[in-house]
Amino acid sequence: MDILKDKILSEGTALSESVLKVDNFLNHQIDPQLMHEIGAEFKKRFEGKGVTKILTLESSGIAPSVMAGLLMDVPVVFARKRQSLTLTDGLLTSEVYSYTKQETNQICVAHKFLEEDDTVLIIDDFLANGKAAEALIDLAEQAESNIAGIGIVIEKSFQEGGGLLRDRGHHVESLARIANLAEGKIEFVQEREN
Ligand code: 5GP
């Protein structure tokens, strides 16, 4: 998606060989027009998949997901990072290990918002090692929902998540795929726009 790649090049910052900062338009300040275009692109890429619900993770997955949900006319559910370890009634829970934060978080979603007749599109802001996506898949599987696919705004293709998810047979669509990061340098995977 060219406008997203242009935005990453003009406003993103490679903090290191593994971390990209995009606070200007996705992770802190949000560019609504770009989110709208991202929503439209997800709609196009998952057309005909029978999506009934979008599942994402708070907080940075919410903006692109809401735009996709608006355009696809389906509700958006965001998994919460759990505060209370005791209130478990009606909750599906899973665990996410964060390499960037070096900690494990529990995430949860109310079972009533994910049902077995749902066909779920999972959306997240970044795909790195695949732990967040795997936890969202786990929640959808616990609910016995179908999984239409996984939509990612920015995939860091040099990390293992994309390969793992595709090897497991998931339909993964990433709107920008980064081949290489170095301090001050961002390179994309060369691919044909569709
Ligand atoms: P994974 O679970 O695939 O290892 O990492 C994905 C999650 O970690 C995303 O939900 C995102 O919040 C965060 N993340 C991973 N890499 C980056 C990065 O380079 N930049 C930012 N801003 N977030 C990242």
Side-chain angles (χ1 to χ4, degrees):
M1 191 181 170
D2 285 341
I3 55 162
L4 174 61
K5 290 184 190 168
D6 291 345
K7 192 83 168 173
I8 293 170
L9 288 177
S10 60
E11 297 187 24
T13 315
L15 290 184
S16 66
E17 288 178 7
S18 61
V19 180
L20 176 65
K21 190 171 175 182
V22 287
D23 292 33
N24 276 33
F25 59 91
L26 180 60
N27 289 147
H28 194 358
Q29 175 169 260
I30 293 172
D31 179 335
Q33 191 57 46
L34 180 65
M35 294 304 123
H36 189 250
E37 305 263 5
I38 284 171
E41 188 66 25
F42 280 136
K43 176 180 167 148
K44 188 173 106 188
R45 295 196 188 198
F46 290 97
E47 200 90 71
K49 289 269 188 172
V51 173
T52 63
K53 201 157 274 189
I54 292 172
L55 175 63
T56 189
L57 182 60
E58 69 174 352
S59 55
S60 295
I62 295 176
S65 295
V66 167
M67 285 301 183
L70 176 69
L71 297 167
M72 295 167 83
D73 196 20
V74 296
V76 176
V77 182
F78 62 93
R80 297 183 151 187
K81 292 172 183 158
R82 251 178 86 189
Q83 311 293 329
S84 163
L85 297 176
T86 49
L87 285 170
T88 54
D89 277 3
L91 291 181
L92 304 171
T93 62
S94 193
E95 289 194 340
V96 187
Y97 179 72
S98 164
Y99 288 94
T100 39
K101 295 186 186 143
Q102 304 255 308
E103 62 184 28
T104 300
N105 280 304
Q106 275 210 316
I107 63 165
C108 67
V109 71
H111 198 173
K112 66 178 176 182
F113 293 133
L114 272 189
E115 292 176 314
E116 60 182 62
D117 55 0
D118 273 321
T119 297
V120 175
L121 170 59
I122 291 169
I123 289 182
D124 204 8
D125 59 340
F126 272 89
L127 175 60
N129 292 293
K131 300 297 176 195
E134 278 174 4
L136 293 170
I137 290 167
D138 183 32
L139 293 178
E141 286 178 348
Q142 288 180 45
E144 296 181 44
S145 306
N146 299 311
I147 298 172
I150 300 157
I152 298 291
V153 180
I154 303 171
E155 174 179 344
K156 293 182 292 178
S157 298
F158 55 90
Q159 292 177 290
E160 65 182 13
L164 289 174
L165 296 173
R166 292 182 180 97
D167 286 350
R168 281 177 57 188
H170 290 292
H171 175 187
V172 183
E173 291 283 346
S174 302
L175 307 189
R177 299 181 73 198
I178 293 176
N180 252 304
L181 280 181
E183 226 178 285
K185 194 163 153 229
I186 303 167
E187 277 174 11
F188 294 102
V189 174
Q190 296 300 323
E191 57 195 339
R192 214 164 29 94
E193 284 285 320
N194 47 12

